[in-house]
Amino acid sequence: MWPIHLNLGFKVVYYYEGFYFLVSILAAAILIIHRFRKAGLDAGVFTRSLTWILLGSILGARIFHFLFWDVQAMLTSPLAFFRIWEGGLSITGGLVGGVITAFICFSRAKVDFWRYFAAASPAVLIGQAIGRVGCFLNGDAWGIPTRVPWGVSLPKFGTLLPEWKADHRVPGEAWTWCVNQGFTNPAALTTVPLHPTQIYEALGDLLLAGMLVFLGRTLAKRDGPWPIVLWFHLGGYSVLRFGLEFLHGDRDVTVWAGMTALQIGLLAFAMLSRALFIRAGSQANH
């Protein structure tokens, strides 16, 4: 565990998630370029569009964060949306924002977006997995208490950088949540063992990436239909995230049938993705 408090001199950013977010983006970008070149595609289309795709991802990540987890904060102070240094980035929203922006950029460049996404898809999921490992290290997206042998106790405090010392000023959200729920003694320096939901999702992302590599190789033998890769990716991730939300400690309030608004949205999108997956496959067979 390595929660970071970043000392900028004029301000300290507590539990700074941007570092891990940056690592995941760089890793995904490098892997995407490699896969484009291996597939014989022009990687330059991606590198020229990368800035816009990143902006779209950040915009989507912010919108989803406030829409599903912190809408009251934005209603109270709309400028909070632009204070990215204070944290609040949704991987789900980042995926949606990035895909939409990439579709616009690649369409304007007059290249086959579906074929490009099929090549990039496993690398995107590997980037998502790295991002979730970052969430684990930072103590974000924590799970509910558990007695399984692999349960993880999260620390109360983070490490101040660049001083490299423990910062006892601000306790972590997971620790605070556990204390408020009565799971952890207020005098304890760590939480009770929690489900490592971040690692569960990272492993699920890697499994899905492997399935998409296999799907891509199968489609390459008959040159498509490439759109089914997108719908398999988005639908598969929606199902994964839907299930894991039941184990999240930072889960939002339920609104219907024991599900949160995010889960209802994920379930609906998974169903839509399945329908579009079937439709793309059937059109290719006619």
Side-chain angles (χ1 to χ4, degrees):
M1 300 296 300
W2 193 39
I4 298 170
H5 296 183
L6 183 62
N7 186 358
L8 300 176
F10 61 91
K11 181 179 177 63
V12 176
V13 182
Y14 296 101
Y15 298 94
Y16 178 63
E17 62 186 343
F19 172 76
Y20 300 114
F21 191 66
L22 177 62
V23 170
S24 66
I25 288 174
L26 288 175
I30 291 171
L31 286 171
I32 286 171
I33 291 171
H34 170 73
R35 287 188 57 81
F36 281 163
R37 289 173 176 168
K38 187 176 179 180
L41 301 172
D42 179 14
V45 176
F46 171 70
T47 55
R48 290 190 295 271
S49 305
L50 184 57
T51 300
W52 291 108
I53 294 173
L54 291 179
L55 289 174
S57 296
I58 293 172
L59 180 61
R62 291 296 279 174
I63 290 174
F64 270 56
H65 168 76
F66 284 105
L67 182 63
F68 292 110
W69 286 282
D70 211 2
V71 67
Q72 189 59 45
M74 192 171 68
L75 292 176
T76 303
S77 176
L79 291 178
F81 183 89
F82 301 99
R83 294 196 286 268
I84 297 177
W85 56 88
E86 294 182 354
L89 296 169
S90 162
I91 288 183
T92 306
L95 174 62
V96 173
V99 168
I100 292 174
T101 308
F103 178 80
I104 294 171
C105 291
F106 283 42
S107 296
R108 287 174 62 88
K110 300 187 185 308
V111 297
D112 186 357
F113 164 78
W114 308 104
R115 179 66 184 89
Y116 272 78
F117 184 86
S121 177
V124 172
L125 283 162
I126 291 173
Q128 289 178 233
I130 294 172
R132 277 309 182 197
V133 172
C135 288
F136 172 76
L137 293 174
N138 204 41
D140 301 326
W142 63 90
I144 58 177
T146 181
R147 293 184 179 180
V148 298
W150 54 85
V152 178
S153 296
L154 304 184
K156 178 179 181 180
F157 300 113
T159 300
L160 186 66
L161 296 181
E163 289 85 347
W164 287 93
K165 64 180 183 181
D167 188 347
H168 295 163
R169 289 173 289 184
V170 179
E173 290 185 7
W175 182 90
T176 301
W177 178 80
C178 284
V179 170
N180 291 340
Q181 296 292 322
F183 299 133
T184 295
N185 189 313
L189 294 178
T190 60
T191 68
V192 295
L194 306 174
H195 275 292
T197 47
Q198 315 95 325
I199 302 302
Y200 295 165
E201 184 170 330
L203 293 175
D205 288 336
L206 293 177
L207 176 61
L208 188 55
M211 295 169 69
L212 282 160
V213 168
F214 178 79
L215 177 61
R217 289 175 178 173
T218 301
L219 293 176
K221 295 176 182 178
R222 58 176 190 263
D223 194 26
W226 299 112
I228 69 173
V229 175
L230 174 67
W231 304 125
F232 189 92
H233 180 135
L234 297 182
Y237 179 74
S238 295
V239 171
L240 171 65
R241 185 62 187 274
F242 171 83
L244 288 177
E245 278 297 301
F246 288 108
L247 297 178
H248 271 216
D250 64 342
R251 189 174 181 231
D252 202 359
V253 295
T254 58
V255 296
W256 181 72
M259 296 184 290
T260 65
L262 175 63
Q263 285 181 297
I264 294 172
L266 288 167
L267 186 59
F269 194 77
M271 295 171 65
L272 175 63
S273 295
R274 181 178 183 276
L276 292 172
F277 176 89
I278 294 173
R279 180 173 180 267
S282 63
Q283 285 183 336
N285 293 328
H286 284 87

